[in-house]
Structures are given as structure tokens and as C-alpha cells.
Amino acid sequence: KMIKELKGAILVISGPSGCGKSTLLKEIYKSIPNYYFSISTTTRALRGEEEDGVDYNFVSQEEFEKDIKDDKFLEYAKVHNNYYGTMLQPIIKALNDGKLVIFDIDVQGHKILRKKLGNLITSVFITTPSLKILEQRLIARDTDTTEMIQKRVENAKIEIESFTDYDYLIVNDNIHKAIKEILAIANIARAKTKIFDKKSIVENWINS
Ligand code: ADP
Ligand code: 5GP
């Protein structure tokens, strides 16, 4: 029932850590108007060049668990032993403002969002051509310890099983091809939800 009242659209991007999500998201930001990137809340430590309030809202485990209790999350999950979650309020606001809301979340979060906001969602799973290449990219990125990289590689073997839950799959081999594909998907995400805005579309169509 809530869905009918919301004007925007949702683009969910998932894929194992190191598959190229951040790289591809930057390309979307360059060329898609009126988007809102959902800044997640996490208990994991800051990495590399990350900034609090920009890449994530970094909080303690106690703060996170309080927000769970207070029902503030649209969804949350435990990934690599840390909490990650999406606050509900900013998402409702962005959707009401007609934005394309972009999520970089894991496969568990995607499952929950599908149940809650299914019709608004266009989703894409991104992966590398192989597990070996994923590991090589994580090593080359040089932002995680060897132990963290191993944990991410192990988790990737489980995450890959869920790609069939998604609308689209991008194998990020050639970066130029992957950019073309992600932009095509981001551009079409809005068209999918226009059908929920029947009243204003019909009125405009008749009156202009
Ligand atoms: P994620 O956000 O999914 O964890 P990143 O965007 O940080 O992944 O990409 C992981 C690493 O792989 C980065 O160092 C990035 O520059 C590199 N990378 C991304 N796409 C490609 C590609 N198509 N070919 C080679 N390296 C890539
Ligand atoms: P990273 O630590 O590499 O930034 O993210 C690890 C994983 O957590 C990625 O798969 C990322 O998509 C996922 N993630 C980030 N934010 C959220 C969130 O708010 N909810 C869920 N469910 N997963 C998230």
C-alpha cells in the first residue's frame, strides 16, 4: 500500500567485495540526474580514503543494536562479522522526492528490500569473471589485510549463489563494457516505476 504513494525508484547493486561496485557507482553519479545514494550505517572500521557520513555512517556495535531495537532500519544484515544497515527515514524522503535511490547492499539486504518494496526495485548483481580474479583485485586494491581478503573471498563463494534473485547480471571483465551496461540499467530503472504514477501521468497527458 505504501508503494503506490511513493514516486521514486530503487536501484539495488550487489556483488562480492572487490567486484567493482564502487568503480561502477562513480560512473552512475557522473551521468544520472536526481539520484540519492543510500548511505549505510556500519560497525566496521573505516578503510582507506573513506569518510564518516560520506561512504558510511560509522557507529559502535552498541549504537547499532539500539537502532535495531528502536526499529529504525529498513533492513540490516551481518556481513563479514560486522553489522550493515539502511535507515528507513531518509529513504522514504528520497522516494517521496521522486529520486532514484541507489543501494549498495549485500544479498541478504536485497532479499528483505524485495519483500518490502518489491515493485520499486531494479536490481543488478555484479561479479568478476572468476573467483581468482576477484582475489587478485582485492590484493591489487590494497585496502584490506590478508585475513580480511580471505574472509571476503570465502563470503563471495556464498554470495554468488544468490545472483539468480536479481533482475540483471553484469560480469565486470572489460570495464568499458561494464560501464555501458550499468548505465543502461540505471537509466531504465525509472521507467519501471512510472506505472505507479498513473494519475499524474494521465492528467499531464490529457492536459498538455
Ligand atoms: P567493490 O566496490 O565492489 O568492493 P571496487 O570498485 O573497489 O570494488 O573494485 C575493486 C578493485 O578492482 C579496485 O582496485 C578497482 O580499481 C579494480 N577494478 C574494478 N573494475 C575493474 C575491471 N573491470 N578490471 C580490472 N580492475 C578493476
Ligand atoms: P564493504 O565492507 O566492502 O564496504 O561492504 C561489505 C558488504 O556489505 C558489501 O556486500 C556491501 O554491499 C554490503 N553492505 C553495505 N551496506 C549495506 C547495508 O546497508 N545493508 C546490507 N544488507 N548490506 C550492506
Side-chain angles (χ1 to χ4, degrees), residues 107-124:
V107 297
Q108 308 169 72
H110 171 250
K111 274 209 177 88
I112 299 168
L113 280 195
R114 277 265 166 202
K115 281 208 192 105
K116 293 194 173 176
L117 296 165
N119 289 333
L120 289 179
I121 296 177
T122 297
S123 66
V124 52

Side-chain angles (χ1 to χ4, degrees), residues 26-89:
K26 279 193 198 118
E27 298 297 325
I28 296 183
Y29 303 155
K30 276 191 221 157
S31 57
I32 303 282
N34 208 22
Y35 71 86
Y36 171 81
F37 174 68
S38 168
I39 301 172
S40 297
T41 302
T42 185
T43 58
R44 88 146 157 74
L46 255 109
R47 179 172 80 202
E49 312 253 279
E50 287 176 339
E51 277 179 61
D52 188 19
V54 176
D55 301 279
Y56 283 103
N57 294 311
F58 295 93
V59 301
S60 68
Q61 184 159 327
E62 292 70 36
E63 286 172 88
F64 201 103
E65 284 170 349
K66 180 166 191 308
D67 286 340
I68 295 175
K69 247 177 53 197
D70 295 344
D71 228 4
K72 292 210 176 137
F73 287 108
L74 171 60
E75 64 76 34
Y76 71 90
K78 223 168 197 183
V79 189
H80 322 122
N81 284 336
N82 280 302
Y83 282 121
Y84 293 83
T86 310
M87 290 283 180
L88 176 62
Q89 274 320 311

Side-chain angles (χ1 to χ4, degrees), residues 128-199:
T128 49
S130 70
L131 186 65
K132 187 150 196 92
I133 292 174
L134 184 76
E135 187 175 10
Q136 286 166 359
R137 286 195 195 159
L138 285 171
I139 293 167
R141 187 170 71 184
D142 200 23
T143 54
D144 296 284
T145 61
T146 312
E147 197 191 359
M148 262 323 261
I149 289 174
Q150 277 326 302
K151 198 176 245 175
R152 285 165 189 278
V153 167
E154 285 311 308
N155 199 51
K157 289 186 202 164
I158 301 164
E159 285 182 288
I160 192 80
E161 294 284 337
S162 294
F163 81 82
T164 49
D165 294 350
Y166 289 72
D167 295 321
Y168 301 101
L169 173 69
I170 294 179
V171 178
N172 178 17
D173 186 1
N174 177 307
I175 189 68
H176 304 291
K177 183 162 174 280
I179 290 169
K180 266 194 199 151
E181 289 176 349
I182 195 82
L183 289 181
I185 295 166
N187 275 307
I188 212 64
R190 274 178 192 289
K192 187 172 180 178
T193 59
K194 284 223 177 77
I195 51 171
F196 296 122
D197 206 12
K198 179 173 171 185
K199 195 159 163 273

